[in-house]
Amino acid sequence: MSQSWDVLIRNATIFDGNGGPPLRGDIAMADGRIAERGPRLDPTRAARVIDATGLWAMPGLVDVHTHYDLELELAPGLVESVRHGTTTVVISNCSLGLAFGAQRGPKSNGESNGESNGDSSDDPIDNSIDPIVDCFARVENMPKRVIRKAADRATWSRSGEYLEHLDQLNLGPNVVPMIPHSMLRIAAMGFTDSIRRDPTPDELRRMQHLLRQGLDEGYAGLSTDALPFHYLANDPNRRRKVPTQYARYRELAALTGVVRELDRVWQATPAKDRPLVMLRTLLLTSGRLFGRPLRTTVVAALDVVTNRLLAPLALLLAWLLNSWLVRGRFTLQALPARFKVWSDGIVTPIAEEIPELRELNEPDLEDREGRRQILGDPEFVARFCAMWNRGKRGFGLARLRRVLRVEDYAFSRSLDDMVIDRCPVTAWEGMTLAAVYERLRRSSAQSTDGKADGSTDAQVDPPGLHPGEREILAELPTPFPDEAHFLLRLLATFDTDLQWYTVTANADPVKMRRILMNPRLMPGFSDSGAHLTNMAFYDVNLRALKIAREGGDRDVGTMVRRLTRQPAELFGVDAGSLEVGGQADVVLVDPDALAAYDGEANVQRIHRAEFEHTQLVNRSDGVVRAVFIAGVSAWENGRPSEALGRTKLGRRLSPGRGA
């Protein structure tokens, strides 16, 4: 018989995405589709045969929460996700994206589409307005020059033109775009007004029109954001939040009404510091209140170190919104990993919700002098120290909340939790800042004659100092400062050269597994493509599979469904399946290598030429043996294929149709 298949995978342990136990069998691929499945297919019919004995075969994994919008313009192969078995990514999360182009210039509103929006404001022509840079740079901690490079390529102005653009890219994974609310607001109101006021009735109708148009064109839904971390990055708006944060309930209800009507998805983040506002807003998912459930996915269920109540409350909320009482269609995303976050000096996303730390995040990444000026301001120092010490001593509500672990902020304000990753004083690497503080405090005490006034006329050189420590000690005041002043001195000395990390959430693996395996939750929240030096969760789908493996084949089958078929069904796209006739997105995983894999220990810092910047990435070498996208090899033998990023593999996926 003449060859009729391009590739035949033989003797695999197949988890097909339906949630059931695995089957031993073969998978044949031809013309980008699953051609046949069976227990023993004829190898002579295939141009290439892969022996998958001992390997798991499963549909390509889906990453439901990425920020790849900019990277797609620079490196559309998305190799850092493909290497870990991801073949479909959802983009334009948290209200940010490129659906309406760069939106630079005078009004950046509906007039760019040739239609008036009834806006009565008159922004002057100002080419310095650069919404993509303003919205992305600080939220996603990326250099402005890189964002400008991506924005320069966003020459379209209509949402349909962006879909046409995606169709022309040499995509690695399949891409599922959404309409980003911040950019929708700018399109209808102009950038300046979008961050200063409510929309007029005409502007709100314009937003609804643009949203409906986008959903009809093939966008999967609408993304909004209410987390207290997301601020703009350009003057004069550095103390203003991204546009979506200024939307009131009336606006969200009007827009989600369009999403509900067309049965698409609303991706949201919770207003975690305003529980009543959050509950009222998330009740928009209710079918009982609004006649039809609204498909809603929200970030995220986390066991936060500083507040032990958040995870139970998130699970309670998921139960309530999906109950018969509310009749919603509500899915919480859960991170299947310890929430380990790096910081360059104090530049880190989790610092943005504390005013004093946010002030240090306002200058550009490269603006060391700007941060040093803030650190040298006595009034700022006083405010910083008051913030840092709040609840750590004495009595009062703040102290009680800290002891009970029910604080408002995710940032722990504890030197014990801050582990140095890189520092000019290399001997400190791997130490906590608390250990460094105690070491220098003891050395300072040894360097004096013990006089009560702290005078140093009988100073000695303490033994055992590492290179660089003597200079640090010389900069510290006498008597030795408290923790807050010590941290400020280190930040002033090293700035972003002091790189440290902390585990902000999911520190308890037992609790994390319990959250992850909850049927009301969906693995996600990787933030792939954002926070280049702050997070590395490109491998979260593999980490989820490893956690599920502890429960045997039943749990693995369930997890494969939750990483493939379930998100594909939520977004209504053709992905996550090994059904005959479906797109041949197939992943081969070595279960033994997966069992030995430690995702946290395999984080690396590399230089990405596309970003002209370093990036934290994951390396799961040996775990994923092969990745096929539309039947074409994208990853094998520990390296990307020649096709990845050079030819078109994936597709732009739209609800109800492949593309």
Side-chain angles (χ1 to χ4, degrees):
M1 182 179 294
S2 62
Q3 294 176 351
S4 55
W5 301 326
D6 299 317
V7 179
L8 175 64
I9 297 173
R10 300 192 69 198
N11 301 319
T13 301
I14 301 173
F15 292 93
D16 62 8
N18 286 317
L23 300 172
R24 175 67 66 84
D26 302 349
I27 303 170
M29 295 179 274
D31 299 323
R33 297 282 167 179
I34 302 294
E36 198 167 337
R37 282 177 49 191
R40 283 186 294 276
L41 301 182
D42 183 0
T44 65
R45 297 178 60 189
R48 182 186 177 196
V49 177
I50 297 175
D51 182 5
T53 302
L55 302 181
W56 291 346
M58 61 188 68
L61 307 177
V62 180
D63 190 338
V64 298
H65 194 99
T66 80
H67 291 275
Y68 271 134
D69 308 72
L70 300 181
E71 186 167 339
L72 282 168
E73 301 306 311
L74 306 175
L78 305 185
V79 64
E80 292 304 328
S81 280
V82 172
R83 69 166 66 238
H84 306 295
T86 295
T87 63
T88 299
V89 298
V90 180
I91 62 170
S92 312
N93 284 279
C94 299
S95 87
L96 303 183
L98 298 177
F100 302 102
Q103 298 184 289
R104 290 167 169 159
K107 294 181 75 62
S108 299
N109 62 10
E111 294 176 4
S112 65
N113 287 324
E115 302 177 47
S116 173
N117 68 344
D119 184 7
S120 60
S121 65
D122 290 313
D123 291 342
I125 294 177
D126 183 357
N127 289 325
S128 68
I129 293 177
D130 204 344
I132 298 299
V133 175
D134 218 338
C135 291
F136 276 80
R138 208 160 135 200
V139 174
E140 302 195 357
N141 284 51
M142 298 177 72
K144 287 183 177 179
R145 65 182 182 278
V146 177
I147 300 175
R148 288 192 190 97
K149 186 193 302 184
D152 287 345
R153 302 184 183 188
T155 56
W156 54 91
S157 59
R158 298 181 178 88
S159 55
E161 292 173 330
Y162 180 51
L163 298 185
E164 294 171 1
H165 170 73
L166 288 175
D167 290 340
Q168 300 305 311
L169 294 178
N170 289 330
L171 297 177
N174 308 300
V175 171
V176 182
M178 291 184 288
I179 293 289
H181 182 224
S182 282
M183 279 58 214
L184 178 65
R185 232 175 182 257
I186 295 169
M189 300 174 67
F191 178 73
T192 302
D193 286 341
S194 75
I195 56 174
R196 281 177 167 78
R197 63 173 176 82
D198 296 331
T200 65
D202 282 345
E203 287 167 343
L204 183 54
R205 283 191 290 271
R206 178 66 180 154
M207 271 190 265
Q208 289 177 294
H209 168 74
L210 290 174
L211 175 60
R212 182 184 300 277
Q213 178 177 287
L215 299 183
D216 284 339
E217 289 165 343
Y219 287 82
L222 170 74
S223 71
T224 65
D225 171 58
L227 284 176
F229 301 99
H230 298 156
Y231 284 78
L232 297 172
N234 288 334
D235 291 327
N237 300 312
R238 292 177 194 261
R239 296 192 175 179
R240 289 190 174 273
K241 298 178 181 179
V242 295
T244 185
Q245 302 253 352
Y246 296 95
R248 299 178 191 261
Y249 178 82
R250 171 176 165 268
E251 180 179 337
L252 294 176
L255 295 176
T256 56
V258 176
V259 179
R260 184 194 318 275
E261 179 185 341
L262 297 181
D263 194 24
R264 300 297 169 84
V265 176
W266 173 36
Q267 182 272 318
T269 60
K272 76 175 189 67
D273 296 333
R274 296 178 294 164
L276 294 180
V277 170
M278 177 179 67
L279 178 59
R280 183 191 186 199
T281 303
L282 294 182
L283 279 171
L284 288 168
T285 191
S286 173
R288 193 168 298 280
L289 293 176
F290 298 97
R292 180 180 186 179
L294 171 64
R295 287 191 278 175
T296 304
T297 177
V298 170
V299 178
L302 292 169
D303 178 29
V304 178
V305 170
T306 57
N307 194 327
R308 58 191 176 89
L309 296 180
L310 290 183
L313 288 175
L315 296 176
L316 177 62
L317 181 67
W319 171 82
L320 173 65
L321 294 178
N322 287 307
S323 69
W324 67 270
L325 181 65
V326 176
R327 205 160 56 82
R329 190 171 176 186
F330 182 84
T331 304
L332 265 177
Q333 297 174 17
L335 180 69
R338 294 206 309 169
F339 193 31
K340 187 174 181 179
V341 182
W342 276 258
S343 178
D344 302 316
I346 204 61
V347 179
T348 181
I350 61 170
E352 292 275 12
E353 67 173 331
I354 301 179
E356 292 76 18
L357 301 185
R358 181 166 64 246
E359 194 169 338
L360 290 170
N361 276 247
E362 287 172 4
D364 292 350
L365 287 171
E366 302 84 359
D367 188 5
R368 293 183 173 225
E369 184 56 34
R371 284 185 288 275
R372 287 198 178 101
Q373 288 181 11
I374 296 170
L375 291 166
D377 179 2
E379 189 273 335
F380 172 81
V381 170
R383 286 190 291 109
F384 181 95
C385 292
M387 173 276 296
W388 191 263
N389 293 317
R390 189 175 301 122
K392 295 182 179 181
R393 58 186 68 162
F395 300 95
L397 181 60
R399 175 64 174 164
L400 180 63
R401 295 186 69 177
R402 187 167 180 85
V403 170
L404 295 178
R405 283 205 302 121
V406 290
E407 294 185 285
D408 288 333
Y409 298 140
F411 195 101
S412 75
R413 297 180 297 128
S414 173
L415 297 185
D416 288 295
D417 296 334
M418 301 160 68
V419 182
I420 297 172
D421 188 33
R422 290 188 175 189
C423 180
V425 183
T426 56
W428 292 355
E429 295 175 2
M431 297 174 63
T432 66
L433 280 174
V436 171
Y437 175 78
E438 184 59 26
R439 173 182 172 80
L440 295 183
R441 188 191 65 78
R442 289 197 306 267
S443 295
S444 177
Q446 293 174 21
S447 69
T448 68
D449 63 357
K451 291 184 178 182
D453 64 0
S455 60
T456 59
D457 55 337
Q459 226 171 31
V460 297
D461 198 8
L465 287 177
H466 296 304
E469 288 186 326
R470 185 174 292 103
E471 291 76 10
I472 297 298
L473 278 171
E475 293 179 351
L476 295 172
T478 301
F480 198 76
D482 63 10
E483 283 188 359
H485 286 88
F486 168 73
L487 179 58
L488 288 172
R489 184 67 260 165
L490 290 189
L491 294 175
T493 300
F494 298 123
D495 194 59
T496 57
D497 291 335
L498 173 65
Q499 297 163 348
W500 53 273
Y501 63 82
T502 185
V503 176
T504 302
N506 290 1
D508 184 336
V510 176
K511 290 183 181 178
M512 179 177 63
R513 188 180 198 281
R514 190 182 309 135
I515 291 172
L516 182 64
M517 299 305 293
N518 187 299
R520 297 185 183 90
L521 273 60
M522 181 172 62
F525 188 40
S526 73
D527 268 353
S528 297
H531 312 299
L532 298 187
T533 59
N534 304 123
M535 299 181 191
F537 297 124
Y538 297 91
D539 64 341
V540 287
N541 287 336
L542 295 182
R543 297 198 202 190
L545 285 173
K546 178 177 178 177
I547 291 170
R549 190 180 186 277
E550 299 169 7
D553 284 351
R554 180 186 296 273
D555 280 2
V556 172
T558 298
M559 185 57 68
V560 171
R561 171 174 170 74
R562 297 173 71 195
L563 294 172
T564 58
R565 187 72 63 91
Q566 180 183 348
E569 290 173 348
L570 174 66
F571 287 93
V573 296
D574 176 21
S577 168
L578 292 181
E579 297 295 328
V580 173
Q583 179 165 307
D585 299 336
V586 184
V587 175
L588 296 180
V589 172
D590 184 333
D592 295 330
L594 178 67
Y597 177 59
D598 183 343
E600 222 174 84
N602 284 277
V603 173
Q604 296 183 13
R605 192 181 298 269
I606 66 171
H607 181 80
R608 285 287 299 277
E610 298 90 345
F611 298 133
E612 306 168 31
H613 201 267
T614 57
Q615 179 181 7
L616 289 172
V617 297
N618 308 96
R619 290 295 177 262
S620 57
D621 299 346
V623 177
V624 175
R625 293 289 192 87
V627 178
F628 290 87
I629 301 175
V632 178
S633 174
W635 182 271
E636 281 191 80
N637 303 316
R639 61 178 62 90
S641 71
E642 289 294 323
L644 185 62
R646 295 180 176 87
T647 60
K648 185 179 178 62
L649 301 182
R651 302 172 295 158
R652 185 259 305 172
L653 301 182
S654 296
R657 58 188 187 276

